[in-house]
Amino acid sequence: MTPQIGPWDSDAVLVDLRPARIFGIILNLLIWPGAIALFVFGVIIPDPDWRVDAVAACFIAFCLVPIVRTIRLVRPMLVPMGFAFDRRGLHYWRGSERGSFAWSEIAAIGIGYEAQPELPPVTPAQLVGRFTVNKIIKDRQWVALEIFPRTGEALDRAPALQPYRWTLEAPWPDVSAERWLIPLPPRPGLPGQIQRGAERFAPQVWRGCSAARGARSSATPANAAAGRPTRAERDRVGLVRR
Protein backbone atom coordinates (compact mmCIF):
# COMPACT_ATOMS: atom_id res chain seq x y z
CA MET A 1 0.00 0.00 0.00
CA THR A 2 1.04 3.60 -0.53
CA PRO A 3 2.71 5.14 2.54
CA GLN A 4 0.40 8.14 2.66
CA ILE A 5 2.18 9.43 5.77
CA GLY A 6 5.83 9.73 4.89
CA PRO A 7 8.81 12.07 5.02
CA TRP A 8 7.20 14.34 2.45
CA ASP A 9 4.88 17.35 2.62
CA SER A 10 1.13 16.94 2.93
CA ASP A 11 0.59 18.46 -0.54
CA ALA A 12 3.08 16.13 -2.23
CA VAL A 13 2.15 14.45 -5.52
CA LEU A 14 2.36 10.67 -5.00
CA VAL A 15 3.08 8.23 -7.82
CA ASP A 16 2.36 4.71 -6.55
CA LEU A 17 3.54 2.04 -9.00
CA ARG A 18 2.12 -0.97 -7.14
CA PRO A 19 -1.59 -0.41 -8.01
CA ALA A 20 -0.55 0.22 -11.61
CA ARG A 21 1.35 -3.06 -11.68
CA ILE A 22 -1.67 -4.87 -10.21
CA PHE A 23 -3.73 -3.25 -12.98
CA GLY A 24 -1.33 -4.76 -15.52
CA ILE A 25 -1.60 -8.19 -13.89
CA ILE A 26 -5.38 -8.07 -14.10
CA LEU A 27 -5.29 -7.06 -17.76
CA ASN A 28 -2.92 -9.91 -18.57
CA LEU A 29 -5.03 -12.46 -16.71
CA LEU A 30 -8.21 -11.27 -18.43
CA ILE A 31 -7.07 -10.77 -22.00
CA TRP A 32 -4.93 -13.85 -22.66
CA PRO A 33 -7.21 -16.47 -21.04
CA GLY A 34 -10.06 -14.79 -22.92
CA ALA A 35 -8.15 -15.26 -26.17
CA ILE A 36 -7.56 -18.93 -25.35
CA ALA A 37 -11.26 -19.45 -24.62
CA LEU A 38 -12.09 -17.79 -27.94
CA PHE A 39 -9.86 -20.20 -29.86
CA VAL A 40 -11.13 -23.25 -27.97
CA PHE A 41 -14.86 -22.54 -28.13
CA GLY A 42 -14.89 -20.49 -31.32
CA VAL A 43 -12.48 -22.45 -33.50
CA ILE A 44 -11.35 -25.86 -32.21
CA ILE A 45 -14.67 -27.25 -30.92
CA PRO A 46 -16.86 -26.08 -33.86
CA ASP A 47 -14.33 -27.04 -36.58
CA PRO A 48 -13.12 -30.67 -36.67
CA ASP A 49 -10.52 -29.93 -39.38
CA TRP A 50 -7.13 -30.88 -37.86
CA ARG A 51 -5.32 -28.18 -39.86
CA VAL A 52 -7.51 -25.44 -38.43
CA ASP A 53 -7.15 -26.95 -34.98
CA ALA A 54 -3.35 -27.04 -35.36
CA VAL A 55 -3.22 -23.34 -36.23
CA ALA A 56 -5.51 -22.53 -33.29
CA ALA A 57 -3.31 -24.63 -31.00
CA CYS A 58 -0.28 -22.57 -32.06
CA PHE A 59 -2.11 -19.36 -31.18
CA ILE A 60 -3.12 -20.86 -27.83
CA ALA A 61 0.52 -21.73 -27.10
CA PHE A 62 1.44 -18.12 -27.97
CA CYS A 63 -1.19 -16.84 -25.52
CA LEU A 64 0.13 -19.09 -22.74
CA VAL A 65 3.53 -17.34 -22.76
CA PRO A 66 2.38 -14.00 -21.25
CA ILE A 67 0.15 -15.87 -18.78
CA VAL A 68 3.07 -17.93 -17.45
CA ARG A 69 5.29 -14.85 -17.45
CA THR A 70 2.74 -12.85 -15.47
CA ILE A 71 2.25 -15.62 -12.89
CA ARG A 72 6.01 -15.93 -12.45
CA LEU A 73 6.36 -12.20 -11.79
CA VAL A 74 3.33 -11.67 -9.56
CA ARG A 75 5.29 -11.68 -6.32
CA PRO A 76 7.92 -9.05 -7.33
CA MET A 77 5.18 -6.99 -8.95
CA LEU A 78 3.49 -6.68 -5.56
CA VAL A 79 6.52 -5.13 -3.85
CA PRO A 80 5.45 -1.59 -2.82
CA MET A 81 7.24 1.07 -4.86
CA GLY A 82 6.65 4.67 -5.78
CA PHE A 83 7.76 8.29 -5.76
CA ALA A 84 6.61 11.49 -4.08
CA PHE A 85 7.23 15.00 -5.38
CA ASP A 86 7.24 17.94 -2.98
CA ARG A 87 8.99 21.28 -2.46
CA ARG A 88 12.01 19.70 -0.80
CA GLY A 89 12.78 17.10 -3.44
CA LEU A 90 12.04 13.70 -4.90
CA HIS A 91 11.23 10.94 -2.40
CA TYR A 92 11.08 7.22 -3.18
CA TRP A 93 10.11 3.97 -1.51
CA ARG A 94 10.63 0.37 -2.49
CA GLY A 95 9.80 -2.39 -0.08
CA SER A 96 10.83 -1.21 3.36
CA GLU A 97 13.45 1.23 2.10
CA ARG A 98 12.80 4.95 1.74
CA GLY A 99 15.01 7.80 0.64
CA SER A 100 14.98 11.22 -0.95
CA PHE A 101 16.99 13.60 -3.09
CA ALA A 102 16.93 17.38 -2.95
CA TRP A 103 16.02 19.02 -6.23
CA SER A 104 19.56 20.42 -6.38
CA GLU A 105 20.78 16.81 -6.70
CA ILE A 106 18.55 16.07 -9.72
CA ALA A 107 19.68 17.26 -13.15
CA ALA A 108 16.62 16.17 -15.12
CA ILE A 109 13.46 14.06 -15.01
CA GLY A 110 11.57 12.87 -18.07
CA ILE A 111 9.51 10.12 -19.67
CA GLY A 112 11.36 7.96 -22.17
CA TYR A 113 9.46 5.94 -24.74
CA GLU A 114 10.00 3.60 -27.66
CA ALA A 115 6.95 4.84 -29.56
CA GLN A 116 5.29 8.24 -29.26
CA PRO A 117 2.70 8.06 -26.46
CA GLU A 118 -0.88 8.38 -27.64
CA LEU A 119 -3.90 10.03 -26.09
CA PRO A 120 -5.25 8.01 -23.16
CA PRO A 121 -8.01 5.55 -24.14
CA VAL A 122 -11.44 6.76 -23.11
CA THR A 123 -13.31 3.43 -23.11
CA PRO A 124 -12.50 -0.03 -21.68
CA ALA A 125 -12.54 -1.46 -25.21
CA GLN A 126 -9.91 1.04 -26.37
CA LEU A 127 -7.76 0.31 -23.33
CA VAL A 128 -7.89 -3.46 -23.85
CA GLY A 129 -7.29 -3.09 -27.58
CA ARG A 130 -4.24 -0.87 -27.15
CA PHE A 131 -2.82 -3.10 -24.41
CA THR A 132 -3.18 -6.18 -26.63
CA VAL A 133 -1.57 -4.50 -29.64
CA ASN A 134 1.34 -3.28 -27.52
CA LYS A 135 1.96 -6.80 -26.22
CA ILE A 136 1.74 -8.44 -29.65
CA ILE A 137 4.04 -5.87 -31.30
CA LYS A 138 6.72 -6.50 -28.64
CA ASP A 139 6.41 -3.59 -26.23
CA ARG A 140 5.50 -1.08 -28.93
CA GLN A 141 4.46 1.44 -26.29
CA TRP A 142 7.20 0.78 -23.73
CA VAL A 143 7.43 3.81 -21.41
CA ALA A 144 9.79 4.50 -18.52
CA LEU A 145 10.50 7.18 -15.93
CA GLU A 146 14.04 8.54 -16.37
CA ILE A 147 15.76 10.29 -13.47
CA PHE A 148 19.16 11.89 -14.05
CA PRO A 149 21.10 12.69 -10.84
CA ARG A 150 23.83 15.32 -10.97
CA THR A 151 26.52 13.17 -9.35
CA GLY A 152 27.57 9.57 -9.02
CA GLU A 153 27.36 9.95 -5.26
CA ALA A 154 23.60 10.37 -5.54
CA LEU A 155 23.41 7.20 -7.64
CA ASP A 156 25.32 5.23 -5.04
CA ARG A 157 23.19 6.53 -2.18
CA ALA A 158 20.01 4.67 -3.16
CA PRO A 159 20.51 0.88 -2.84
CA ALA A 160 16.84 0.20 -3.60
CA LEU A 161 17.19 1.90 -6.98
CA GLN A 162 20.41 0.14 -8.04
CA PRO A 163 18.56 -2.48 -10.16
CA TYR A 164 17.19 0.43 -12.22
CA ARG A 165 20.59 2.05 -12.83
CA TRP A 166 21.45 2.22 -16.52
CA THR A 167 24.18 3.78 -18.63
CA LEU A 168 22.83 5.02 -21.94
CA GLU A 169 23.73 7.75 -24.38
CA ALA A 170 22.97 11.11 -22.74
CA PRO A 171 19.80 12.55 -24.32
CA TRP A 172 20.78 16.15 -23.50
CA PRO A 173 24.21 17.81 -23.25
CA ASP A 174 23.74 18.87 -19.62
CA VAL A 175 23.06 15.41 -18.17
CA SER A 176 25.25 12.35 -17.63
CA ALA A 177 24.88 9.01 -19.36
CA GLU A 178 23.90 7.31 -16.09
CA ARG A 179 20.33 7.42 -14.87
CA TRP A 180 17.60 5.51 -13.12
CA LEU A 181 15.28 3.94 -15.68
CA ILE A 182 12.03 2.71 -14.12
CA PRO A 183 9.59 0.96 -16.50
CA LEU A 184 6.03 2.23 -16.03
CA PRO A 185 3.10 -0.21 -15.95
CA PRO A 186 0.32 0.16 -18.57
CA ARG A 187 -2.00 2.29 -16.47
CA PRO A 188 -3.57 5.39 -18.09
CA GLY A 189 -2.60 8.64 -16.42
CA LEU A 190 0.60 7.45 -14.74
CA PRO A 191 2.95 9.60 -16.89
CA GLY A 192 0.57 12.52 -16.29
CA GLN A 193 0.95 12.13 -12.52
CA ILE A 194 4.73 12.28 -12.88
CA GLN A 195 4.46 15.34 -15.10
CA ARG A 196 2.19 17.14 -12.62
CA GLY A 197 4.54 16.45 -9.74
CA ALA A 198 7.66 17.55 -11.59
CA GLU A 199 6.09 20.66 -13.15
CA ARG A 200 4.56 21.74 -9.86
CA PHE A 201 7.62 21.41 -7.63
CA ALA A 202 10.64 21.37 -9.97
CA PRO A 203 9.82 22.73 -13.44
CA GLN A 204 13.52 23.45 -13.94
CA VAL A 205 14.33 19.71 -14.12
CA TRP A 206 11.29 18.49 -16.08
CA ARG A 207 12.21 17.58 -19.68
CA GLY A 208 8.90 16.12 -20.82
CA CYS A 209 8.53 13.05 -23.03
CA SER A 210 11.28 12.05 -25.42
CA ALA A 211 12.42 9.02 -27.39
CA ALA A 212 14.77 6.79 -25.43
CA ARG A 213 17.79 7.87 -27.44
CA GLY A 214 20.83 5.69 -26.99
CA ALA A 215 18.78 2.79 -25.75
CA ARG A 216 19.67 0.88 -28.88
CA SER A 217 23.42 1.34 -28.56
CA SER A 218 24.76 1.23 -25.01
CA ALA A 219 22.23 -0.01 -22.49
CA THR A 220 24.19 -1.29 -19.50
CA PRO A 221 22.60 -2.08 -16.16
CA ALA A 222 25.91 -2.44 -14.34
CA ASN A 223 27.66 -4.70 -16.90
CA ALA A 224 24.92 -5.88 -19.29
CA ALA A 225 25.58 -6.48 -22.96
CA ALA A 226 25.14 -3.64 -25.41
CA GLY A 227 21.76 -2.98 -26.94
CA ARG A 228 18.31 -1.71 -25.99
CA PRO A 229 17.00 -3.20 -22.74
CA THR A 230 15.44 -6.50 -23.72
CA ARG A 231 12.05 -7.66 -22.49
CA ALA A 232 13.76 -9.98 -19.99
CA GLU A 233 15.97 -7.14 -18.76
CA ARG A 234 12.97 -4.84 -18.46
CA ASP A 235 11.20 -7.44 -16.36
CA ARG A 236 14.25 -7.81 -14.18
CA VAL A 237 14.78 -4.11 -13.54
CA GLY A 238 11.11 -3.29 -13.27
CA LEU A 239 10.00 -6.26 -11.23
CA VAL A 240 13.04 -7.40 -9.30
CA ARG A 241 12.69 -9.39 -6.10
CA ARG A 242 13.51 -7.85 -2.76
Side-chain angles (χ1 to χ4, degrees):
M1 59 180 297
T2 305
Q4 298 292 344
I5 300 176
W8 43 78
D9 297 339
S10 58
D11 61 344
V13 175
L14 300 182
V15 179
D16 191 353
L17 298 183
R18 187 169 182 258
R21 288 173 174 175
I22 293 174
F23 181 80
I25 293 172
I26 293 172
L27 278 183
N28 270 300
L29 297 181
L30 285 176
I31 291 173
W32 300 113
I36 290 176
L38 179 64
F39 282 115
V40 171
F41 295 102
V43 178
I44 294 179
I45 293 178
D47 196 329
D49 189 329
W50 69 269
R51 289 167 295 187
V52 175
D53 292 348
V55 173
C58 291
F59 278 104
I60 290 174
F62 171 81
C63 293
L64 285 173
V65 173
I67 294 175
V68 173
R69 186 164 156 262
T70 298
I71 294 173
R72 181 174 59 87
L73 294 171
V74 163
R75 183 178 175 184
M77 277 180 167
L78 297 180
V79 173
M81 182 176 180
F83 298 88
F85 299 78
D86 68 9
R87 293 177 180 83
R88 291 177 291 130
L90 177 67
H91 308 261
Y92 70 88
W93 69 89
R94 179 173 173 269
S96 60
E97 182 177 337
R98 297 185 185 184
S100 64
F101 299 94
W103 289 120
S104 59
E105 298 180 280
I106 303 294
I109 293 177
I111 302 294
Y113 58 80
E114 286 291 330
Q116 177 66 44
E118 305 168 6
L119 292 175
V122 296
T123 67
Q126 290 177 341
L127 175 61
V128 171
R130 184 177 301 177
F131 177 83
T132 306
V133 169
N134 290 342
K135 287 293 182 181
I136 292 175
I137 312 182
K138 199 173 182 179
D139 298 331
R140 179 181 66 92
Q141 203 66 41
W142 184 70
V143 179
L145 168 63
E146 294 185 292
I147 304 172
F148 298 83
R150 292 191 183 277
T151 65
E153 185 274 334
L155 281 162
D156 296 333
R157 209 174 72 232
L161 299 181
Q162 289 307 303
Y164 306 93
R165 183 172 174 173
W166 290 81
T167 298
L168 306 172
E169 178 185 340
W172 306 287
D174 59 338
V175 300
S176 69
E178 285 194 287
R179 76 208 61 182
W180 291 299
L181 184 69
I182 298 97
L184 298 179
R187 181 179 181 181
L190 199 58
Q193 282 182 271
I194 295 170
Q195 180 177 352
R196 285 193 298 275
E199 287 185 336
R200 179 177 178 184
F201 296 110
Q204 72 277 9
V205 304
W206 174 246
R207 300 298 175 90
C209 297
S210 62
R213 287 168 286 180
R216 295 184 181 276
S217 60
S218 58
T220 56
N223 55 3
R228 180 172 67 90
T230 64
R231 172 174 289 187
E233 290 168 338
R234 293 172 187 176
D235 286 341
R236 182 172 57 78
V237 300
L239 306 169
V240 292
R241 294 185 182 275
R242 182 173 175 77

